[in-house]
């Protein structure tokens, strides 16, 4: 591409240095053969320059395609990691909910057991009280009978 630019600059210089032909309205006289030679060189140089440009564009496209593919892989990996974290969070949340449920069940069962134990103790104490009261009453009757038997003697 540099060669083509040099040749175009050479043509421009030639046109700028060309002598104006009087009475032609600003037209200039140039060496046609030299201009044609320069144009031939430009034509010969263009295909290789165009190939180089196409290669550069192709390389650019390939680099962009590879970068896009790599970025898609990074995005996919990030999404997978995000999903893993979400799943872990869900597992932790479920475990915490289950722990709360177990604690609530344990508290409820503990309260039921305390209530049942208190009722049991109350029942035992009532039976013991009733039995003692009955025995005391029996003891008093027996004492009374003994006293009555002693008075009659």
């Amino acid at each position: 591409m540099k060669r083509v630019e040099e040749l175009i600059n050479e043509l421009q210089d030639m046109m700028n240095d060309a002598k104006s032909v009087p009475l032609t309205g600003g037209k200039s006289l140039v060496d046609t053969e030299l201009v044609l030679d320069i144009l031939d060189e430009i034509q010969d140089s263009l295909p290789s320059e165009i190939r180089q440009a196409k290669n550069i564009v192709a390389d650019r496209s390939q680099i962009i395609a590879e970068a896009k593919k790599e970025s898609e892989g990074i995005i996919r990996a990030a999404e997978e990691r995000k999903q893993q974290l979400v799943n872990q969070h869900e597992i932790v949340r479920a475990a915490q909910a289950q722990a709360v449920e177990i604690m609530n069940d344990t508290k409820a069962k503990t309260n039921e057991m305390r209530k049942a134990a208190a009722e049991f103790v109350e029942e035992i104490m009532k039976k013991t009280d009733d039995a003692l009261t009955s025995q005391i009453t029996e003891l008093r009757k027996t004492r009374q009978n003994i006293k009555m038997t002693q008075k009659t003697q």
Side-chain angles (χ1 to χ4, degrees):
M1 192 69 158
K2 187 167 181 160
R3 179 71 184 139
V4 171
E5 289 174 7
E6 290 172 0
L7 292 170
I8 290 173
N9 287 337
E10 191 176 329
L11 274 177
Q12 287 175 337
D13 290 343
M14 188 183 297
M15 296 304 288
N16 289 333
D17 294 342
K19 305 255 191 252
S20 293
V21 177
L23 304 173
T24 60
K27 293 185 181 180
S28 302
L29 184 63
V30 292
D31 184 351
T32 308
E33 206 172 300
L34 185 56
V35 170
L36 289 174
D37 286 343
I38 291 173
L39 288 173
D40 283 343
E41 280 187 62
I42 289 173
Q43 281 181 328
D44 290 342
S45 296
L46 278 177
S48 67
E49 305 254 346
I50 290 172
R51 275 193 305 278
Q52 286 177 340
K54 283 181 180 178
N55 288 339
I56 290 169
V57 169
D59 288 346
R60 179 181 163 267
S61 296
Q62 182 181 359
I63 290 169
I64 289 172
E66 288 174 6
K68 185 177 180 182
K69 184 178 179 182
E70 186 175 338
S71 70
E72 288 171 353
I74 290 170
I75 290 170
R76 197 169 30 258
E79 287 175 353
E80 288 172 5
R81 179 67 177 139
K82 179 186 93 173
Q83 190 59 44
Q84 288 173 346
L85 291 174
V86 166
N87 290 343
Q88 285 177 350
H89 177 71
E90 290 297 321
I91 291 169
V92 168
R93 195 172 54 79
Q96 288 172 336
Q98 188 176 9
V100 167
E101 185 179 332
I102 290 170
M103 289 297 291
N104 290 339
D105 286 349
T106 301
K107 286 177 183 177
K109 287 179 182 176
T110 300
N111 288 338
E112 286 177 27
M113 289 174 67
R114 282 185 181 152
K115 184 178 177 183
E119 289 173 358
F120 177 74
V121 168
E122 177 62 29
E123 182 66 28
I124 295 291
M125 291 179 77
K126 184 178 181 315
K127 286 181 181 180
T128 303
D129 188 15
D130 289 347
L132 286 173
T133 301
S134 172
Q135 287 179 357
I136 287 175
T137 303
E138 196 59 42
L139 180 65
R140 286 186 182 148
K141 282 184 188 177
T142 304
R143 261 183 73 205
Q144 193 67 26
N145 285 340
I146 291 176
K147 277 188 183 178
M148 292 293 263
T149 335
Q150 282 180 352
K151 279 189 181 179
T152 53
Q153 280 187 0

